Amino acid sequence: MNTTDTSTMSAWSRETYGPADGVTLQTIPVPVPGRGEVVLRVLATGLNAGDVRLLLGDPLLVRPVFGLTKPKHPVRGMEVAGLVVTVGPDVVGAELGERVVGELVGGGGLAEYVTVPAARLVPIPPDVEAGVAACLPVAGGTAWQALDLAEVGLRGGAAPRVLIIGASGGVGTFAVQLAALRGAEVWATCRTRNAPLVEHLGAVRTLDHRTSPLGDLPAEHFDAVIDIAGGMPLHELQRLVAPGGSVVLVTGDGGPVMGPVPRMIKAAFVSVGSRRVRPLAATPRPEVLAKLLELVAEGRVSPVIEHEYPFAEGAAALAHIEAGHTVGKVVVRGT
C-alpha cells in the first residue's frame, strides 16, 4: 500500500453541534484509507445548505445517524475534487496522481486530506478545473435525479413545461440548465435580482413568488414541478400539475425535530390519483457525475460559482452558506 508523507493536517472542525462561528482550524491526523478507499489531497470543496444543516444537527431526526450528542464527522464538506495520494487495499479504478471528484461519506472536505471509497470517484477531464468539478456531485447530482424522478425528457413527445421553485441556488441553477438541455420549457421562481441569471441559464420565464404568488398561475399548467425552495402547501403544488405529471420535493424543510418526514408522509397520501408528489432522496451516483463532467467539459453546463474562498477562510465560507440566499455554489480551494 502507498502512504502519504505527513502524519497531521489542518482541518476546519467543530466537535459539537452549532453555528459556523464555532468552527475552528485544527490539527488532526491524516486519515488512513480502509479497504476500497483512497486518500485525496483536497484541491477544492463544494459547500451546500445541507452542510450547514448537519453542522447545526438540524433536524434532531438526523442525529442518531450523524451523531447523537456530537457529530461523528466534525469536518464538513461533502463534495470534493482532489488528487489521489494514497491507495488502500483492494482499490479498483483509482490511480496515484489522478485528479478525481466525488461525494464523501458523512463529510470531511474542509481539510487538507480526506478518505473516500474509490467506487464513488470519477476522473476529472483535463479541461475541467477542480473548483468547477467540486460543484457537481451533490448539487448537480440532486438536480439530475430530481428531473429523472419527474420523468422530464424521458417520455418523448411534446416538450414538457417544467416549473422549478427556488432556481437560483446550487441545485436550482443546475436544474434549470439540465431541464433546458432535455428540451423542456422552463419556468422558474427566484428573487427578482437573480432573474437575469436564471433566464441566461435557460428559463423562458421567471417570477418572484414573494410578489407574484404561485396561486396566480393557471391550474394544470405544468408537466412537472421541482420544489427546491419549500414552504408551499402540497395541494397548491399539485394544482399546478397536469394529470399524469409529478411534483418532486427536493427540499428538506420541516420542523426542528422531524424535519421533512411529516411532509413526506403527507405526500404519500395526497399522491393518490394522477398528480403524484414524490419526495427525492438523492444518492451518490458516479454514473450521473460522469455525465455531468462530460457536459461541463463540452461547455453545455456551467456551474454558477458565487464565491471561491481560500482554505484559510473555510469557516467564513460556511458562515456565508448559513446566512442564506446563496446564488449558485460556494467553493473552498485546497491548500
Side-chain angles (χ1 to χ4, degrees):
M1 181 180 75
N2 304 289
T3 57
T4 55
D5 296 329
T6 56
S7 58
T8 61
M9 66 177 183
S10 296
W12 289 98
S13 179
R14 179 172 179 134
E15 299 294 333
T16 59
Y17 288 117
D21 61 10
V23 175
T24 59
L25 190 60
Q26 301 182 18
T27 299
I28 63 176
V30 171
V32 176
R35 189 171 301 277
E37 293 183 333
V38 302
V39 174
L40 303 183
R41 178 169 66 82
V42 177
L43 300 176
T45 300
L47 296 180
N48 302 278
D51 288 304
V52 171
R53 299 292 292 270
L54 292 176
L55 184 70
L56 298 170
D58 176 35
L60 295 177
L61 182 68
V62 307
R63 296 195 182 190
V65 176
F66 291 97
L68 193 59
T69 59
K70 62 180 181 179
K72 293 179 183 178
H73 301 278
V75 180
R76 293 268 44 85
M78 300 288 288
E79 299 175 298
V80 166
L83 196 70
V84 179
V85 295
T86 307
V87 177
D90 300 331
V91 165
V92 177
E95 299 180 359
L96 284 173
E98 186 177 28
R99 287 195 320 151
V100 294
V101 62
E103 182 177 342
L104 302 179
V105 179
L110 288 179
E112 293 182 286
Y113 298 93
V114 69
T115 56
V116 58
R120 290 192 174 202
L121 296 172
V122 177
I124 302 173
D127 295 336
V128 176
E129 296 180 356
V132 169
C135 296
L136 299 174
V138 174
T142 298
W144 186 292
Q145 292 176 57
L147 294 171
D148 277 357
L149 191 58
E151 300 182 9
V152 174
L154 303 182
R155 296 182 181 181
R161 182 179 290 139
V162 179
L163 175 64
I164 297 172
I165 302 173
S168 60
V171 176
T173 50
F174 280 114
V176 171
Q177 294 180 75
L178 293 171
L181 280 178
R182 296 184 182 201
E185 177 188 316
V186 182
W187 293 37
T189 77
C190 60
R191 290 180 178 270
T192 301
R193 66 173 181 266
N194 298 326
L197 167 66
V198 173
E199 290 168 2
H200 173 74
L201 296 176
V204 300
R205 179 174 172 182
T206 57
L207 60 150
D208 188 335
H209 65 262
R210 298 162 191 82
T211 56
S212 301
L214 298 184
D216 292 344
L217 292 173
E220 302 183 1
H221 196 60
F222 300 97
D223 299 288
V225 171
I226 311 297
D227 181 21
I228 303 167
M232 286 289 296
L234 296 182
H235 70 272
E236 285 292 330
L237 298 177
Q238 273 188 305
R239 185 189 68 82
L240 298 173
V241 179
S246 296
V247 174
V248 173
L249 306 177
V250 176
T251 177
D253 68 337
V257 177
M258 296 296 289
V261 171
R263 198 169 190 237
M264 293 168 62
I265 294 173
K266 184 176 181 181
F269 281 103
V270 302
S271 288
V272 177
S274 63
R275 298 174 180 86
R276 297 162 294 182
V277 180
R278 296 179 164 188
L280 174 66
T283 58
R285 297 272 300 276
E287 72 279 10
V288 168
L289 179 55
K291 293 175 182 176
L292 287 166
L293 285 164
E294 184 178 329
L295 291 173
V296 170
E298 293 172 352
R300 301 174 68 193
V301 168
S302 297
V304 175
I305 300 177
E306 181 185 71
H307 197 92
E308 281 198 19
Y309 288 84
F311 181 77
E313 298 178 14
L318 283 169
H320 181 81
I321 296 281
E322 186 179 8
H325 308 310
T326 300
V327 178
K329 294 286 296 180
V330 168
V331 173
V332 177
R333 296 191 297 272
T335 56

